[in-house]
Amino acid sequence: MITQLSRRQPVPAHAPVPDVSTVPTDGDDPLSRERAHLAASRSALRAMREDVQSLDIRDVTANWVNAAVLQSQIEDRIKALADLSHTPLFFGRLDYLPTTQEGRRFYIGRRHVHDAAGDPMVIDWRAPVSQPFYRASRKDPQDVGLRRRFGYTGGDLTAYEDEHLTDPSETEQTSRLLQAEIERPRVGPMRDIVATIQPEQDEIVRSGLSGTVCVQGGPGTGKTAVGLHRVAYLLYAHRERLARTGTLVIGPNRSFLHYIEQVLPALGELEVKQATVDDLVGHVEVRGRDTAAAAVVKGDARMAQVLRRAVRSHVTMPTEPLVVVRGSRRWRIPAYELEEIVRELLDRDIRYGAARDALPQRIAHTVLVRMEEAGEAPDDRVQDAVARNPAVKAAVKAIWPPVDPAKLVLRLLSDGEFLATHAEGILTPDEQATILPAKPARSVRSAKWSAADAVLIDEATDLVQRTQSLGHVVLDEAQDLSPMQYRAVGRRCSTGSATVLGDLAQGTTPWATASWAEALTHLGKPEAVVEELTAGFRVPREVIAYASRLLPHMSPGLAPVSSVRESPGSLEVREVADAADLDAAVVAACTESLRNEGSIGLIAADSRVPALSAALAAADLPYLSPGEETTAEARLTLVPASLAKGLEYDYVVLDEPSSVITDEPDLRTGLRRLYVSLTRAVSGLT
């Protein structure tokens, strides 16, 4: 039996407190004791923060640089110890059996809190001792006698719910507090799910740093939250290593990154950077757009081979000997010996720029061998001097000239003969013609670069000079990346690991990923483990079942999501007989949805957004754009279908579904865009 208790306080209908049949007296009130522990924990956290604020570093730093670094670390620590008044400090409790952990009791929360004696009052959810909170069950209690979940209204503890995992008289039941937390209305940016992580999600979150994990998950399975919580866990378990190497979260667009940006800070992690793929490859200003056919060719992994050939084509084999003059002596290196040096560097297949830097040293070493054979005793300083000799510099410039990546790509995409030479046997003549513009640009500055062009420049840049690798990268909505974009991301974690998140059914680009095995190969992580999340927690069963009717037509063979949430009445399909009445019907549906609590998303085909914007303005209904933060006063967001991916709203009004399909260049992409739009609702879809 689950024990459920609550003070008799008003609680909003959207966060129901479990039924209370018996309320204990104040003298023996468990809820009062839990509230007292919450108050004491907040006081302890405040004391921890004050201890850090009171640190005097004037006598412990050797210079102003050390002082500045230490002061920055102290400020970060102060921020991490902030007590967010509307965020529960702890959300669960574990009472271990007397046979393990000495029968100790642990409160599980977002961050560690200890008292003045150093004893823990709240345990970080990422600590090993907290793991059974997410994974223990009656079949496998993991030495836990009791698991308690807490319910909150704002920052006030209002309820609790107990599970006696070793009591044979109790039966497995769905936690109503857990369900209420999942269904809590969404106003503002994305929240963490630290209180509601499910066992299958926890296994992914706590997987090791050394391996790359790919998570295939349909709408509402929590894959984005899993990826973000995995970053938080890895920073906890491998903080020093990741502090040196860095972490990065990559999202599909700025609206999405704004939506998720508060999750990690709420968990005390302030240093994780966020970017889009376009940000990563921002070597040039993107002002142009490709046709779908050109973008597909430019995004094909074969372009990497074309670029490699084009870069290496700048190397010219020497035909003349090199003569180095030092003092009264002349040292001659014949052309065939120079060619051997050049071919050796080419065979080593190192970066073009690194090989160019090595060439003068190799030539100088050959000269030093001549000197030693003549009875001299040169040292490293002599070798460096020879490497800087004007004759050597001139030879290097002629043999291995510098390459500007943007100029190289511009020439490749504007000079048909140059492209044909290096794409021979790789791209067909038709494919070459597809990526050649009708009117070539004259310079890098005047070129109207496309997003795909920027990725090609990034590839060329890496061929010249190695891209710095991070310790861990999270790549969300990965199904929409081209092979060349995967390569660009892979360069950023070539010596680290990655968490790849996506849903093949939601691929809405002409180059969308066909399989994770192919995508992970392009990423440079073919050994990655692919995990699948099939249990939906956010989207109601009726809504996901309705959307899943599209799967056989756009992603045959992909298993539909099985939602654990049954919500009768969550789906309503309205037919508008006259197209002229469509705008008014949509506005009416938005007005009705606003009577509910939570966020409202009006999703429409991009081409329909201007008309709906005017209709909302005429009806005096204020609305936000994607990325703008919803508040209690502004809860309606007008969302172009192209930006809906990854976003969630309590209630969604979907404007004419067929226009979402016809806005796209082909039927498969249109059906997938519609699938995304249909699955953004947490509580209701009209």
Side-chain angles (χ1 to χ4, degrees):
M1 184 179 72
I2 297 178
T3 305
Q4 301 170 340
L5 300 167
S6 173
R7 284 288 195 186
R8 290 172 176 166
Q9 296 180 348
V11 178
H14 64 267
V17 173
D19 182 44
V20 182
S21 57
T22 305
V23 178
T25 63
D26 286 344
D28 184 28
D29 183 355
L31 196 59
S32 294
R33 292 197 298 272
E34 301 293 17
R35 285 173 173 159
H37 186 77
L38 176 61
S41 299
R42 289 197 183 281
S43 297
L45 180 61
R46 186 164 55 251
M48 291 169 62
R49 182 181 171 93
E50 290 170 353
D51 284 345
V52 178
Q53 290 172 326
S54 66
L55 289 175
D56 186 350
I57 63 173
R58 287 175 295 182
D59 298 328
V60 297
T61 53
N63 52 56
W64 70 269
V65 175
N66 290 346
V69 171
L70 185 56
Q71 186 61 44
S72 175
Q73 293 173 341
I74 289 173
E75 290 172 359
D76 287 345
R77 178 63 175 160
I78 291 171
K79 291 177 184 177
L81 290 173
D83 186 4
L84 307 177
S85 59
H86 294 291
T87 301
L89 196 55
F90 56 79
F91 47 80
R93 194 184 97 186
L94 291 177
D95 291 7
Y96 277 88
L97 296 171
T99 53
T100 57
Q101 295 289 345
E102 299 175 353
R104 296 178 68 186
R105 172 181 298 171
F106 297 101
Y107 288 83
I108 313 301
R110 285 168 173 76
R111 57 173 58 84
H112 175 86
V113 179
H114 60 254
D115 61 18
D119 293 326
M121 300 188 70
V122 180
I123 300 292
D124 194 301
W125 66 276
R126 297 166 288 188
V129 75
S130 302
Q131 183 172 314
F133 181 77
Y134 301 107
R135 298 197 194 179
S137 64
R138 283 181 174 77
K139 292 181 179 178
D140 180 20
Q142 300 188 16
D143 301 318
V144 174
L146 178 141
R147 173 169 54 202
R148 175 170 288 181
R149 300 182 189 274
F150 296 103
Y152 287 83
T153 300
D156 297 326
L157 198 163
T158 54
Y160 72 85
E161 187 177 76
D162 285 346
E163 293 174 83
H164 298 276
L165 299 181
T166 56
D167 186 346
S169 65
E170 284 197 9
T171 57
E172 196 89 36
Q173 296 186 35
T174 301
S175 167
R176 295 180 63 185
L177 285 180
L178 183 66
Q179 190 78 5
E181 173 63 21
I182 291 174
E183 296 176 358
R184 184 157 55 97
R186 313 175 67 82
V187 174
M190 180 180 176
R191 301 188 297 260
D192 65 73
I193 62 163
V194 67
T196 62
I197 294 174
Q198 300 300 296
E200 62 271 26
Q201 295 173 328
D202 189 64
E203 288 184 16
I204 299 171
V205 167
R206 295 178 191 266
S207 55
L209 176 61
S210 59
T212 290
V213 177
C214 175
V215 182
Q216 158 65 37
T221 56
K223 56 186 178 295
T224 296
V226 165
L228 295 174
H229 286 68
R230 186 176 184 223
V231 170
Y233 172 77
L234 292 176
L235 285 167
Y236 174 86
H238 307 278
R239 189 166 302 280
E240 289 188 8
R241 177 176 170 184
L242 289 177
R244 293 193 307 271
T245 56
T247 52
L248 176 67
V249 174
I250 302 173
N253 52 58
R254 282 277 143 208
S255 298
F256 178 83
L257 292 178
H258 183 73
Y259 176 62
I260 68 170
E261 67 183 356
Q262 294 303 317
V263 174
L264 288 169
L267 299 173
E269 301 301 341
L270 308 171
E271 299 301 319
V272 179
K273 295 180 180 179
Q274 297 183 344
T276 64
V277 173
D278 291 343
D279 293 333
L280 298 183
V281 300
H283 306 286
V284 293
E285 182 183 358
V286 174
R287 296 185 296 144
R289 294 189 66 179
D290 286 313
T291 63
V296 169
V297 176
K298 289 180 180 180
D300 194 295
R302 292 174 296 161
M303 286 300 298
Q305 297 174 259
V306 176
L307 286 166
R308 185 173 182 274
R309 283 184 182 180
V311 169
R312 290 167 69 94
S313 71
H314 288 75
V315 177
T316 303
M317 289 300 167
T319 57
E320 300 291 334
L322 171 64
V323 177
V324 178
V325 179
R326 275 187 60 82
S328 61
R329 301 295 299 270
R330 294 163 62 87
W331 307 98
R332 183 178 183 276
I333 305 176
Y336 77 86
E337 202 165 340
L338 289 173
E339 183 176 339
E340 288 176 0
I341 295 173
V342 173
R343 291 197 182 279
E344 182 194 354
L345 288 172
L346 287 172
D347 291 343
R348 288 185 60 193
D349 201 24
I350 58 178
R351 296 296 195 282
Y352 184 92
R356 186 176 189 275
D357 293 339
L359 180 57
Q361 290 292 333
R362 293 297 178 87
I363 294 173
H365 176 74
T366 303
V367 172
L368 258 66
V369 171
R370 299 277 200 280
M371 291 179 177
E372 290 171 349
E373 290 173 348
E376 296 187 18
D379 57 18
D380 290 344
R381 290 174 297 177
V382 175
Q383 180 169 330
D384 290 339
V386 173
R388 295 193 300 270
N389 183 279
V392 174
K393 285 184 175 180
V396 169
K397 186 175 182 180
I399 297 168
W400 212 296
V403 170
D404 181 293
K407 288 182 179 178
L408 173 75
V409 173
L410 180 64
R411 184 182 177 191
L412 203 61
L413 298 179
S414 58
D415 184 338
E417 186 176 341
F418 186 69
L419 175 62
T421 298
H422 302 298
E424 184 179 0
I426 299 176
L427 301 180
T428 66
D430 287 345
E431 288 173 325
Q432 295 174 35
T434 299
I435 62 176
L436 287 170
K439 186 179 180 181
R442 293 185 176 181
S443 68
V444 170
R445 188 181 294 272
S446 65
K448 290 187 176 180
W449 298 107
S450 68
D453 295 336
V455 178
L456 295 179
I457 294 172
D458 189 70
E459 180 83 27
T461 301
D462 185 71
L463 288 167
V464 174
Q465 205 71 42
R466 181 182 294 276
T467 304
Q468 183 179 357
S469 174
L470 299 166
H472 192 77
V473 168
V474 174
L475 175 61
D476 205 351
E477 300 296 346
Q479 72 280 346
D480 275 339
L481 268 60
S482 70
M484 290 299 286
Q485 287 176 315
Y486 276 114
R487 289 176 62 87
V489 174
R491 287 191 282 277
R492 272 74 186 181
C493 56
S494 58
T495 60
S497 57
T499 302
V500 180
L501 312 165
D503 179 13
L504 296 178
Q506 295 186 57
T508 51
T509 55
W511 51 83
T513 300
S515 73
W516 289 123
E518 178 186 334
L520 293 167
T521 299
H522 294 312
L523 190 70
K525 308 290 184 183
E527 76 292 345
V529 175
V530 180
E531 302 280 1
E532 187 169 7
L533 295 175
T534 57
F537 301 98
R538 301 294 300 169
V539 184
R541 187 175 302 169
E542 294 77 9
V543 173
I544 196 66
Y546 185 72
S548 294
R549 291 162 61 182
L550 295 171
L551 287 177
H553 306 284
M554 64 186 198
S555 298
L558 199 64
V561 172
S562 176
S563 178
V564 300
R565 292 182 52 220
E566 192 165 357
S567 181
S570 57
L571 172 67
E572 183 180 2
V573 180
R574 299 184 185 180
E575 183 178 357
V576 180
D578 190 338
D581 298 329
L582 181 59
D583 291 357
V586 169
V587 170
C590 290
T591 302
E592 293 173 29
S593 295
L594 284 166
R595 295 170 188 160
N596 300 310
E597 189 170 1
S599 58
I600 315 296
L602 168 55
I603 302 178
D606 292 34
S607 61
R608 286 275 297 147
V609 168
L612 291 175
S613 175
L616 291 173
D620 199 25
L621 274 183
Y623 65 88
L624 304 168
S625 298
E628 294 184 292
E629 189 169 320
T630 56
T631 65
E633 293 74 31
R635 298 185 290 119
L636 175 63
T637 302
L638 176 56
V639 187
S642 63
L643 296 180
K645 193 171 298 178
L647 305 179
E648 287 184 343
Y649 300 92
D650 288 298
Y651 294 89
V652 167
V653 175
L654 176 59
D655 175 63
E656 177 53 51
S658 65
S659 62
V660 175
I661 299 174
T662 56
D663 246 26
E664 299 299 329
D666 59 83
L667 179 60
R668 189 195 73 162
T669 304
L671 291 174
R672 289 184 170 187
R673 186 76 74 190
L674 178 58
Y675 179 75
V676 171
S677 301
L678 286 168
T679 54
R680 301 303 95 199
V682 174
S683 296
L685 169 67
T686 301

